[in-house]
Amino acid sequence: MATTNINANVEKANQQFESVFAGPARAYTNMMLDYAEKLVSAQREALQVYSELSFHQARAALEIKSPSDFRSYVEEQQKVTKEASERLKADADKVVSINRDFMQQSRELTQEATKRGQEVAQKNMQRGEQQVEDNMKSAKSSSSKK
């Protein structure tokens, strides 16, 4: 009987550890990996776009052979600058959105883990109180038999 009770307590402790600590830690790590993957993907995409734009502009500058070519190049630069600034704003908005989603998910995960921890603590308190009561009854019963 004592071995069964010990095994049950160990199993309960393992379940509580999984529920309160290991499970949320695993979920948070998974969420962090997803977050990092989204950020790296956004950065990689932006780097490719900006690199292509830069190389295109550098090649266009190499094609300048006359004053009219230079004028056309400068006019094109104004368009490119406007497009690049719009793209930069969109990329910044994308990163802000990724960060906002991550923060919301983190908040929800923390609230769930806290709630779970409070529930486990409450159950442990109730179980402890019950054990104290049972022990006191057992002690009274033993002392009255003597």
Side-chain angles (χ1 to χ4, degrees):
M1 164 119 170
T3 304
T4 305
N5 198 15
I6 290 171
N7 289 340
N9 286 341
V10 168
E11 180 60 29
K12 188 72 170 170
N14 286 339
Q15 289 173 352
Q16 289 175 353
F17 179 79
E18 175 66 28
S19 173
V20 175
F21 298 109
R26 209 181 293 64
Y28 187 75
T29 301
N30 189 45
M31 188 175 56
M32 286 290 296
L33 288 172
D34 288 346
Y35 170 73
E37 186 176 25
K38 288 175 186 175
L39 277 180
V40 167
S41 177
Q43 290 172 341
R44 185 178 53 234
E45 181 183 322
L47 178 62
Q48 182 171 353
V49 168
Y50 298 130
S51 295
E52 288 173 2
L53 181 64
S54 296
F55 287 126
H56 177 74
Q57 291 307 302
R59 292 189 194 289
L62 291 174
E63 297 298 318
I64 297 172
K65 295 185 176 57
S66 68
S68 66
D69 290 343
F70 181 72
R71 188 174 30 253
S72 295
Y73 175 78
V74 170
E75 289 171 0
E76 182 64 23
Q77 285 297 100
Q78 291 172 351
K79 292 177 192 174
V80 168
T81 300
K82 182 179 183 227
E83 290 172 9
S85 67
E86 289 170 358
R87 173 64 195 228
L88 189 59
K89 182 186 179 315
D91 289 341
D93 289 344
K94 185 175 187 177
V95 169
V96 166
S97 176
I98 291 170
N99 287 334
R100 188 178 305 121
D101 290 347
F102 174 74
M103 291 305 296
Q104 178 63 31
Q105 290 172 353
S106 294
R107 191 176 308 116
E108 290 170 3
L109 182 62
T110 301
Q111 288 170 345
E112 289 172 20
T114 301
K115 181 180 176 188
R116 213 171 308 130
Q118 289 171 340
E119 290 169 355
V120 166
Q122 182 66 32
K123 287 178 185 177
N124 285 341
M125 288 295 294
Q126 290 170 349
R127 205 168 68 228
E129 289 171 356
Q130 185 63 45
Q131 284 179 338
V132 167
E133 287 177 24
D134 292 347
N135 290 343
M136 290 180 72
K137 287 179 185 176
S138 178
K140 277 186 180 180
S141 173
S142 295
S143 67
S144 65
K145 289 182 182 178
K146 291 183 179 180

